[in-house]
Amino acid sequence: MQLDRCLRSFALSPHLSPRPPSPLAAYRVHGHPLALRSAFHTSTSLFAKKRNAMPPKKAAAAEKKILLGRPGNNLKIGIVGLPNVGKSSFFNTLSKTDLGKAANFPYATINPEEARIPVPDPRFDWLCELYKPASRVPAFLTCIDIAGLTAGASTGAGLGNAFLSHVRAVDGIFQVVRAFDDAEVIHVEGDVDPCRDMEIISTELRLKDIEWVEKHLEGLKKTGRALGNTSLADKARKEEIATVQKIYDVLTKENKDVRKVDWNNKEIDVVNGLQLLTAKPVTYLVNLSERDYIRKKNKWLPKIKAWIDEHNPGDPLIPFSVALEERLANMSDEERKEEEQKIGTTSALGKITQAGYSSLDLIRYFTCGPDEVRAWTIRKGTKAPQAAGVIHSDFENKFVCGEIMSYDDLREYGSEAAVKAAGKLRQQGKPYEMVDGDIAYWKAGA
């Protein structure tokens, strides 16, 4: 009865249009009141479900991969190889100095020499032409000339221990491989065999890593016996032990260099903490005779390429000739251009420098003006505040934003004003990840 009265008052309400109930509605009201109540309950339940339904979950963002190696922008690359393969002569031509002790006997270099090498960049040259600045500062690659390594270096043979400590101190490797015959230049192994030489270097670096990891693993296992399962710190330590064991297995069972494994971010943190020799990127530089380099033929090149593909696939290989580079280095710019046209080839030093720079995951951005055009070296993945901090720590600590334009846009439009008019000058905040070739103007608080 109460339900009938409620429905009648609802139908007679002056605020509602006098719309007659349908026969089906009348049937439900007078014939099946429980059915109406059930239908009413179902509809409200559906409404409540729709109202309380959660929005679809967003796809989880892919975890950003941490880079192998020491974090930072001031990274160094070391010149590595057996004695008398042309390392110090290459260092001298690359650095335009005579710091490297080039001599026809092993271990002429004992203490490492260091030089900063300008990294050639046509973008930098174009920006200097556009702004005509008073000061021009290109990007640099820090290069170290390291003593020659011999078989048995991992156990202390020759200058083994000193050599390997110097390799540990750099972030990447230029491995110079001798592929030229010269009776006047002795070979420490008696004859020229680049594949054997590469095998010696690879083996010695890996053996030293095995020794290093083995000692570390023993220490972790001793302290790990008392670890429980409840503490987060204990669980983290167990994960570290498992990762170090995995590294050891990669080196001993899989016979792989550490850099050739796809590690996750937690594992990379452990790998980076160990500063392993085989985790460093390697660029193979094959030292040819001038004649072979000019004619682009050498009997060893296919075998060297096959060895790299088998043992360290993906590592870059660059043929060059120290003999030619030394000859070109003594010429003026005009003479060098004429000679390169005459012989039909060019110096490989610029290509080598850029390859070393890229192997360390380094990029650069530019600051430009009439006072100075400068290239600033940062690592891939660097955010805007940290990129600004390369200039001065205050720029990072008091970062507001950056006004960013790409080199390509400036090249296309011809001037900053035209870039701005085209809407290509962007204000970027703290989350912005720098792109190679960005041109930046930073704004910082007082």
Side-chain angles (χ1 to χ4, degrees):
M1 293 297 293
Q2 280 184 326
L3 178 62
D4 288 344
R5 281 198 297 270
C6 288
L7 289 170
R8 277 198 297 275
S9 63
F10 179 80
L12 296 173
S13 172
H15 302 290
L16 299 173
S17 58
R19 182 176 172 182
S22 68
L24 180 60
Y27 173 77
R28 283 177 177 164
V29 169
H30 299 293
H32 297 277
L34 292 177
L36 176 65
R37 197 176 299 130
S38 175
F40 181 78
H41 176 73
T42 302
S43 63
T44 53
S45 298
L46 288 171
F47 175 75
K49 284 181 181 177
K50 286 182 181 178
R51 184 180 60 187
N52 295 328
M54 296 293 290
K57 288 184 178 180
K58 293 182 179 178
E63 186 180 28
K64 185 179 175 183
K65 200 68 178 279
I66 298 173
L67 297 175
L68 270 178
R70 181 169 58 95
N73 307 310
N74 301 315
L75 304 184
K76 301 176 181 181
I77 196 158
I79 302 173
V80 171
L82 269 62
N84 292 3
V85 297
K87 299 185 306 301
S88 294
S89 298
F90 164 61
F91 175 80
N92 287 342
T93 57
L94 189 65
S95 62
K96 297 181 180 177
T97 68
D98 58 356
L99 293 172
K101 306 299 186 292
N104 190 20
F105 54 86
Y107 314 122
T109 300
I110 296 176
N111 297 316
E113 300 289 349
E114 179 175 322
R116 295 176 75 229
I117 316 301
V119 182
D121 189 342
R123 300 172 301 180
F124 176 79
D125 297 335
W126 185 85
L127 291 170
C128 289
E129 285 297 314
L130 179 66
Y131 287 92
K132 297 179 171 52
S135 173
R136 305 177 180 204
V137 185
F140 288 93
L141 175 67
T142 302
C143 198
I144 313 290
D145 183 24
I146 297 174
L149 174 148
T150 54
S154 59
T155 58
L159 299 174
N161 291 327
F163 167 88
L164 293 167
S165 69
H166 296 151
V167 177
R168 199 178 300 283
V170 300
D171 304 284
I173 294 172
F174 278 148
Q175 185 171 328
V176 180
V177 182
R178 177 175 169 177
F180 66 90
D181 291 308
D182 189 338
E184 295 183 2
V185 180
I186 62 173
H187 194 292
V188 72
E189 293 294 324
D191 62 344
V192 174
D193 186 341
C195 295
R196 176 203 58 211
D197 296 352
M198 290 191 295
E199 191 69 47
I200 288 172
I201 299 285
S202 177
T203 299
E204 294 303 324
L205 296 183
R206 197 174 294 164
L207 285 173
K208 198 63 181 179
D209 274 356
I210 290 170
E211 178 191 333
W212 189 271
V213 173
E214 197 169 29
K215 287 180 181 177
H216 189 68
L217 187 59
E218 285 175 7
L220 286 175
K221 284 182 175 178
K222 283 180 183 177
T223 59
R225 288 170 189 155
L227 296 176
N229 294 315
T230 54
S231 164
L232 289 176
D234 285 356
K235 287 181 180 178
R237 179 53 65 92
K238 284 185 174 182
E239 288 179 0
E240 182 185 356
I241 293 171
T243 299
V244 176
Q245 180 66 58
K246 182 178 177 181
I247 295 167
Y248 184 75
D249 291 342
V250 164
L251 292 165
T252 57
K253 295 179 181 178
E254 299 179 32
N255 293 318
K256 279 185 178 180
D257 284 355
V258 170
R259 70 183 184 281
K260 293 304 176 182
V261 176
D262 186 20
W263 307 98
N264 64 39
N265 282 351
K266 283 187 177 181
E267 292 169 336
I268 289 174
D269 281 336
V270 176
V271 172
N272 287 346
L274 290 170
Q275 295 183 314
L276 298 173
L277 303 176
T278 62
K280 302 177 190 297
V282 177
T283 302
Y284 293 93
L285 308 180
V286 183
N287 186 9
L288 309 175
S289 67
E290 182 175 333
R291 177 174 174 270
D292 284 355
Y293 180 73
I294 290 172
R295 69 192 185 112
K296 297 179 174 60
K297 280 187 179 181
N298 180 276
K299 65 181 180 180
W300 291 109
L301 279 175
K303 296 177 183 178
I304 293 169
K305 178 67 166 62
W307 188 94
I308 294 171
D309 289 344
E310 180 183 352
H311 295 87
N312 289 313
D315 285 354
L317 181 159
I318 303 176
F320 79 119
S321 171
V322 168
L324 174 62
E325 299 298 350
E326 286 182 315
R327 195 162 65 82
L328 294 175
N330 294 321
M331 300 179 183
S332 67
D333 290 345
E334 289 183 2
E335 289 173 336
R336 185 168 59 252
K337 286 179 182 177
E338 287 179 8
E339 182 64 18
E340 287 176 340
Q341 288 178 348
K342 178 182 173 182
I343 62 179
T345 192
T346 59
S347 167
L349 295 184
K351 182 179 181 180
I352 291 170
T353 306
Q354 181 57 57
Y357 192 83
S358 299
S359 75
L360 298 174
D361 292 309
L362 297 175
I363 60 173
R364 65 274 230 186
Y365 74 89
F366 303 102
T367 53
C368 303
D371 294 330
E372 181 181 80
V373 169
R374 184 163 185 155
W376 299 92
T377 293
I378 55 176
R379 264 196 127 186
K380 282 181 184 175
T382 300
K383 303 286 188 181
Q386 288 70 46
V390 172
I391 300 176
H392 196 285
S393 58
D394 281 354
F395 285 5
E396 179 180 355
N397 297 334
K398 301 175 182 178
F399 181 86
V400 174
C401 69
E403 290 188 345
I404 309 286
M405 59 180 161
S406 73
Y407 166 82
D408 290 338
D409 286 338
L410 181 60
R411 185 73 188 258
E412 179 181 350
Y413 292 99
S415 70
E416 289 184 20
V419 170
K420 191 172 184 178
K424 298 290 185 177
L425 182 66
R426 316 179 306 275
Q427 278 205 348
Q428 301 288 5
K430 292 181 179 180
Y432 178 69
E433 186 175 300
M434 298 296 288
V435 176
D436 186 41
D438 275 347
I439 299 166
Y441 297 89
W442 303 117
K443 293 183 179 180

